Amino acid sequence: MSYTRHMRHGEYKMPGGKLVVADLDVRDDLIASVQISGDFFLEPDSALADIDRALLDAPCTASTEDLAARISAALDPRVQMFGISAQAVAVAVRRAIDGEGTP
Amino acid sequence: MSRTNWRDHDWQLIHGEPRSPALHMALDEVLVEEVAAGRRAPTLRIWEWASSAVVIGRFQSLRNEVDAANAAAHGIDVVRRISGGGAMFIEPGNTITYSLYTPLSMVEGLSFEQAYAQMDAWVIAALLELGIMAWYQPLNDITSHIGKIAGAAQARRGNAVLHHVTMAYDIDAQKMLQVLRIGREKLADKGTQSAAKRVDPLRSQTGLPREAIIAHMIETFRHRHGLSDDTLREDEVARAQTLAASKFANPKWTAELA
């Protein structure tokens, strides 16, 4: 559980899917903390922690494709996603880094 | 493993007394585990609510979804469920909520999208019989020409699937907008516009009391799939009470995604 309020916020509604939200902090041009959330479905639910871990320490210069590849590589092949994809998470993260989704 | 059909199973009905939001969350986890372990036959559970609640999805951010101050001011419990999907605003008597606890074999070989539609086909039929032209809208909604009626969510546990659905009977949209943080683009998804005072697709389209709609849904299920009346076992209730206190009423779980 984290009580810190993340400084950067990005959202992406996956076409034909659900909303993916990225809340994160950047330090020294790296993702220093991150929380992915949204109204998507993931089996098993522990896969969300794997996604967050995969994004940690990613460079802010990482492209959407780089971020998606990091996530895909970290997930057990048996993980099932519904309304969410590695690509959709990457877009939300990229938007958060770029400050496009800041409320 | 090959796919099983509704009639391959001995479906049980549980429609009991009103329960607290945390206990409902716990019952879903306990009962899907009971079906997974083979200690309980596949079951349809109709929920009755003892108090108002905001129920957020497994992967939603508490802060992003809920106005905690307004929820507290209205005396509304905020709980996190074990399935994904979106936040719901519940007041006793204003929604119809049910859970199906089914063997995984029922959705064997189906896509997620097909699995959702299959588990609610009986509800679409029941609504048609009540005069509501309803259909399944992927990924996880039941909708009609006047807007969204219900949202579904599934979670898998071992060899069982929890499929639960909340239907809007007569929701106070003003209060919902005070406690849920809903962006303007999401309003349509909640079956409302900011000007609407009530979201009442079931009440307005049937003119029937909530209890009559539930009774018809149960009869539709019984006719199509077979259904025996059942009750919760004492050990199931005891386990759920323990789990409600340790997990679902615990801020550590509710705020796991801050």
Side-chain angles (χ1 to χ4, degrees), chain A residues 18 23 35 37-38 43 45, chain B residues 58-59 64 140 156 186 258:
Chain A
K18 311 303 287 186
D23 289 285
Q35 173 181 280
S37 64
E43 297 283 354
D45 60 356
Chain B
R58 173 69 184 90
F59 307 111
N64 289 345
N140 58 322
R156 300 181 176 205
K186 285 288 283 181

Side-chain angles (χ1 to χ4, degrees), chain A residues 1-6 9 11 13-14 16-19 21-23 35-49 52 80-84 103, chain B residues 57-65 81-87 112-113 116 138-141 152-157 185-186 189 251-253 255-258:
Chain A
M1 179 166 42
S2 164
Y3 290 100
T4 57
R5 182 177 283 276
H6 293 283
H9 179 89
E11 299 187 356
K13 164 75 167 65
M14 179 177 151
K18 311 303 287 186
L19 186 71
V21 181
D23 289 285
Q35 173 181 280
I36 301 299
S37 64
D39 60 354
F40 48 78
F41 300 89
L42 262 184
E43 297 283 354
D45 60 356
S46 57
L48 186 63
D52 286 350
Q80 295 177 290
M81 299 176 135
F82 187 45
I84 178 181
Chain B
R58 173 69 184 90
F59 307 111
Q60 288 190 297
S61 152
L62 177 63
R63 183 191 292 132
N64 289 345
E65 297 300 325
R81 63 176 183 267
I82 61 170
S83 64
F112 275 102
E113 193 169 314
Y116 275 70
L139 304 175
N140 58 322
D141 287 344
Q154 291 186 358
R156 300 181 176 205
R157 283 289 187 283
E185 70 278 14
K186 285 288 283 181
D189 190 51
K252 192 179 171 195
W253 168 257
E256 195 196 66
L257 278 75

Side-chain angles (χ1 to χ4, degrees), chain B residues 213-240:
Chain B
I213 296 173
I214 291 174
H216 182 74
M217 287 171 58
I218 290 171
E219 283 321 301
T220 300
F221 191 106
R222 202 185 297 277
H223 181 73
R224 288 168 71 100
H225 306 318
L227 191 62
S228 306
D229 292 339
D230 192 15
T231 53
L232 291 167
R233 300 192 314 259
E234 275 180 33
D235 64 298
E236 290 171 333
V237 175
R239 271 179 60 206

Side-chain angles (χ1 to χ4, degrees), chain A residues 6-83:
Chain A
H6 293 283
M7 297 305 293
R8 305 196 193 202
H9 179 89
E11 299 187 356
Y12 179 62
K13 164 75 167 65
M14 179 177 151
K18 311 303 287 186
L19 186 71
V20 181
V21 181
D23 289 285
L24 57 85
D25 288 307
V26 169
R27 204 176 311 129
D28 300 331
D29 294 324
L30 300 176
I31 294 176
S33 67
V34 59
Q35 173 181 280
I36 301 299
S37 64
D39 60 354
F40 48 78
F41 300 89
L42 262 184
E43 297 283 354
D45 60 356
S46 57
L48 186 63
D50 297 332
I51 292 173
D52 286 350
R53 255 193 305 277
L55 292 165
L56 215 55
D57 294 330
C60 288
T61 51
S63 66
T64 304
E65 289 67 31
D66 294 339
L67 293 167
R70 283 180 83 108
I71 295 163
S72 297
L75 289 179
D76 188 297
R78 286 165 296 185
V79 168
Q80 295 177 290
M81 299 176 135
F82 187 45

Side-chain angles (χ1 to χ4, degrees), chain B residues 46-208:
Chain B
I46 312 275
W47 303 30
E48 297 295 340
W49 296 83
S51 57
S52 300
V54 168
V55 181
I56 61 174
R58 173 69 184 90
F59 307 111
Q60 288 190 297
S61 152
L62 177 63
R63 183 191 292 132
N64 289 345
E65 297 300 325
V66 182
D67 187 317
N70 279 346
H74 285 297
I76 296 168
D77 286 351
V78 180
V79 292
R80 183 185 298 278
R81 63 176 183 267
I82 61 170
S83 64
M88 315 170 323
F89 170 56
I90 311 276
E91 291 183 292
N94 288 7
T95 65
I96 296 173
T97 306
Y98 60 87
S99 297
L100 291 162
Y101 314 94
T102 177
L104 193 58
S105 58
M106 282 273 301
V107 297
E108 178 72 22
L110 298 183
S111 67
F112 275 102
E113 193 169 314
Q114 291 169 326
Y116 275 70
Q118 161 161 302
M119 297 314 295
D120 285 330
W122 62 282
V123 176
I124 302 286
L127 292 174
L128 286 172
E129 288 160 4
L130 292 172
I132 299 181
M133 284 291 291
W135 61 91
Y136 221 79
Q137 177 153 314
L139 304 175
N140 58 322
D141 287 344
I142 297 171
T143 196
S144 72
H145 68 280
I146 66 163
K148 177 171 168 174
I149 290 177
Q154 291 186 358
R156 300 181 176 205
R157 283 289 187 283
N159 279 323
V161 182
L162 160 67
H163 176 96
H164 51 191
V165 176
T166 287
M167 312 171 77
Y169 176 71
D170 183 13
I171 290 174
D172 182 338
Q174 300 297 317
K175 203 185 283 186
M176 178 174 74
L177 293 175
Q178 288 171 24
V179 297
L180 297 186
R181 299 189 195 277
I182 305 174
R184 284 185 183 279
E185 70 278 14
K186 285 288 283 181
L187 280 177
D189 190 51
K190 293 286 174 191
T192 183
Q193 295 163 348
S194 53
K197 288 196 168 54
R198 313 294 298 188
V199 180
D200 61 353
L202 291 185
R203 193 187 61 80
S204 65
Q205 291 189 80
T206 65
L208 292 173

